[in-house]
Each structure stands twice: as C-alpha cells, then as structure tokens.
Amino acid sequence: MSIFDKSAFKFSHQHRLFRTSAISSGQIVQFKLSDIGEGITEVTVKEWYVKEGDSVSQFDSICEVQSDKASVTITSRYDGIIRKLHYNLDEIAYVGKPLVDIETDALKDVASEEDVVETPAVSHEEHTHQEIKGHKTLATPAVRRLAMENNIKLSEVVGTGKDNRILKEDILNYLAKQTGAILPPSPKPEIIPPLPKSETAPAAPKDKGTKIPIPISKPIVFAGKDKTEAVTGFHKAMVKTMTAALKIPHFGYCDEIDLTQLVQLREELKPLAQIRGVKVSFMPFFIKAASLGLLHYPILNASVDENCQNITYKASHNIGVAMDTEQGLIVPNVKNVQVCSVFEIASELNRLLTLGSAGQLGTNDLTAGTFTLSNIGTIGGTYAKPVILPPEVAIGALGKIQVLPRFNGNGEVFKAQIMNVSWSADHRIIDGATMARFSNLWKSYLENPASMLLDLK
C-alpha cells in the first residue's frame, strides 16, 4: 500500500496531479486529474480549501483528495480566480476529468492538453541537475522557480533530500533565516546533546497504572434502518491487500519474551531521549533486534514473484509498523534499519506516528517495506494471527506486556515482564525451523539487550 504525504506536498515538494488545457476564451485553465500511477483511477474529494470566486496564488492549497493508496493536498500552479469546482465533498473524481477551473493570465506558458507533472523529490527517475561551481545540485523545477523568485542562489542552500537534493522546505527555511519568519518544523527532529551532569534532566513520567477502558460518552442511538456505504480509501486498499495475502500459505509460530531487563534499560534511556525531544517506546528495540536477526536469516527479508519462481533478497531492512488510524489500517516503514541506531529509529517512529495520526504520510513512507511488526498489544490481547503483507514473506504480532510470575535458575519465583509474539511466514519458501531460529535470536537480543551492542554497527 502507498500514500502521499500532505505536509510534504505543502512544504517539501510539488507533485502536480493535473493536465491543463486552454478553453476557448483563453482565460480558463482546466485542471484534470492525471494518471498518478499505482493503478489509481479515482480519488475522493475530502476537503475544499477554496470556493468559487476565491483568488489563489501559486502554491496555495486548493483541495485534499484521497484514494485507496494516496492522500494529498493539491496546490495551485497559477495566480488566478477559482471559477468552478467540479465536485462536491465525498464525491469521486476520475483520472482525466476536470477537477477545478482557474481564470488566469498565465496561459501563454501553457500548451493545449499539456501534462503538468513535476517529479517529487523522493523519485529516483526524473530529476533536474543544475551545475553550480563544478558540482551537480538536485532540485525540481518548482524548487528552482521558488529560489529564482526570491533571488536565492541554490549553491547557498543546504539540501536535506536524498543525495542532497534541495527541497522546497530547504528554500523556505533559508528564507526564514534571512527574514526571521516562522515556518513549520522540519520532519527530522534536531538532535541535542545531553545536558551536563550539573544540570537537572527532566524526570521521566511516572508509570501509569492499569488502563481502564473509557466508557462510551454518548448513548448509542439505533436508527432502525440499514445503511450502505461504499468501500473507499484505505479500507479499499486493505480489501485488495488482504485478498492477495490470503493466497499465501501461512504458518504460525508463537513464543513468549521476558522483557524485564529491557524494561529497566528503557526507563534509564527515557530521560535522555526526552532531552533530545524524542519519545522512546519499546518498538525501536523490537525493530532493531529484528534487523539484527534478519542479517542472519535474510530469507525473512525477501520477496517472491507471483509464480514463486524467483526469490529476491532485499539489501535494505525497511521494517513496517502497522498503525491503527481513523482512516483505517496503514503500514509505514522505517527505512534502512540495518544502519540506524535505536535513537534514530525512535526519532523516525515519532515522525511516522505524528504524520499517520494526521493522515499525512507520504508515498515514500508507505512503500518498499520488506518486513513488518504489528504491535497489537497497545490495544490489548496477548496473541494474534498476523497476515503477511505481500510481497513480504514474514510478519510478527506483538502482544501486551504483562507482569507475571516466573522461576529463575534457582527455582525461585520472581516478577517478570512477559510479552508474547506471534509470527506468520510464507510456507512456500520459509520452513518452521528457520522461523524458530530467527525468533530465538530476536528473543535473545531483547531478553539481554546488552548483547545487541556486539552486533550494532
């Protein structure tokens, strides 16, 4: 599954989803929804930010649309006046059909039926090179235009995109330093070194007691009538994904993990992470331990073609984390976990959780996953039967952490922090012994977290 990032479209880069054509008067630009790939043929209009008669400028938000794989804010390419909105809220807009008409004087630069598509900054395919002082600077046409309009030399801007690509956000941040303007924060939090020992670190928040389910505040009203709704958005994506997933012969493997030492370690690290502005949960440790295990069992970080004739071993450990949102189930992934520290994983998870709750995750965040963990224990339950997300071949479901009595080596009862894990694997290429050995290694890292230091890079 995939998704477009709303905030990224506003602040990082522009991706035009339209085709423009001049109408007979020569004053109206008709934006048409272009083919955006991924098999998307229709989107749902979720919100209009303008109404007919409103004036808009370049980069102003026009509307938000959502498909089963994408959620994106559409921005204006022109200065002009909105003359017609072709859809109402929650109506389906189709690829190739007009979305909005804008009256503008900028038609001289627009050819009839010209596709207006600017490659997003994360793309590896089409990008613009600009030679500056002997080296290549990567930037999209929209970013170069923004820099030119503000008399900014790209050679003076530090790019934060892949391969040092200059993003729109970099231009805006550069402007902010020159003018003192306040801009939205960067997705990547600033890493602040720990305070000296003489300074008092903020105390770690006290552990809360057992959570009590919150009762429903509003009485349930029975209308007495059946209600039929179309399956749209992320629910539609889940239908497609799960239908494909259940063609895979699954097998399960379960175990319990003693997290007593990890619980103590996390309590020690929480204040340090808070100083750096990052919340550290148990998930970064689970993810890093999984990546260390995948180095020994790469078959679990692979994919298999539809006819099961070829296996592709993935070099990157892009570990997905299943998230329950108001829009439905989404699975963003932390990229290249094999070269990330636990703190870096925690920082990235914070970013993904923030964007996920706001429905602003980008395509790059939701694609190219290679292995998945689902922390169902945050809601409740000790065991689950996770379903593999094709083309991946394995997934783990983590239960809630419980305080339970266990015996030590001397036969003495002690209080242990126990979590159950349930694995599912593609039985066409993975056997039970491999899954068990991987699980045992993952378990050993978590039960003895100091042992991870030996394999961290």
Side-chain angles (χ1 to χ4, degrees), residues 271-287:
L272 297 176
Q274 286 178 347
I275 293 173
R276 299 185 178 192
V278 173
K279 179 181 178 181
V280 175
S281 64
F282 290 105
M283 185 57 77
F285 298 96
F286 300 154
I287 291 174

Side-chain angles (χ1 to χ4, degrees), residues 123-266:
S123 174
H124 296 280
E125 298 177 358
E126 297 181 7
H127 51 257
T128 301
H129 295 273
Q130 184 174 357
E131 295 285 351
I132 298 178
K133 296 182 180 180
H135 71 276
K136 292 182 178 180
T137 297
L138 302 181
T140 62
V143 171
R144 291 192 291 110
R145 182 170 61 248
L146 181 62
M148 181 181 63
E149 291 172 351
N150 289 278
N151 297 317
I152 296 174
K153 295 181 179 179
L154 291 181
S155 59
E156 299 176 355
V157 181
V158 177
T160 60
K162 185 172 180 60
D163 299 326
N164 297 319
R165 182 188 296 273
I166 297 176
L167 310 179
K168 182 183 177 184
E169 181 186 9
D170 300 326
I171 301 295
L172 295 178
N173 287 335
Y174 181 88
L175 279 174
K177 292 179 181 178
Q178 304 300 317
T179 63
I182 299 176
L183 296 172
S186 171
K188 295 185 178 180
E190 180 181 1
I191 298 177
I192 305 173
L195 294 174
K197 292 183 179 180
S198 59
E199 300 185 34
T200 303
K206 297 181 180 179
D207 289 338
K208 298 181 181 179
T210 303
K211 294 183 179 180
I212 301 176
I214 300 175
I216 299 174
S217 58
K218 296 181 180 180
I220 299 175
V221 178
F222 293 95
K225 295 182 179 179
D226 295 344
K227 183 179 180 181
T228 301
E229 294 181 346
V231 178
T232 60
F234 300 142
H235 291 101
K236 190 172 184 178
M238 188 163 61
V239 170
K240 296 179 181 178
T241 303
M242 292 299 100
T243 300
L246 290 180
K247 296 179 181 179
I248 299 172
H250 288 54
F251 84 90
Y253 178 85
C254 301
D255 201 356
E256 72 171 31
I257 320 295
D258 183 354
L259 298 180
T260 304
Q261 292 188 40
L262 183 60
V263 170
Q264 296 172 355
L265 176 62
R266 175 175 172 262

Side-chain angles (χ1 to χ4, degrees), residues 300-322:
L300 297 174
N301 195 60
S303 65
V304 62
D305 59 21
E306 187 175 356
N307 297 323
C308 208
Q309 299 297 314
N310 299 286
I311 299 174
T312 301
Y313 294 86
K314 304 292 185 177
S316 297
H317 296 173
N318 300 337
I319 299 183
V321 181

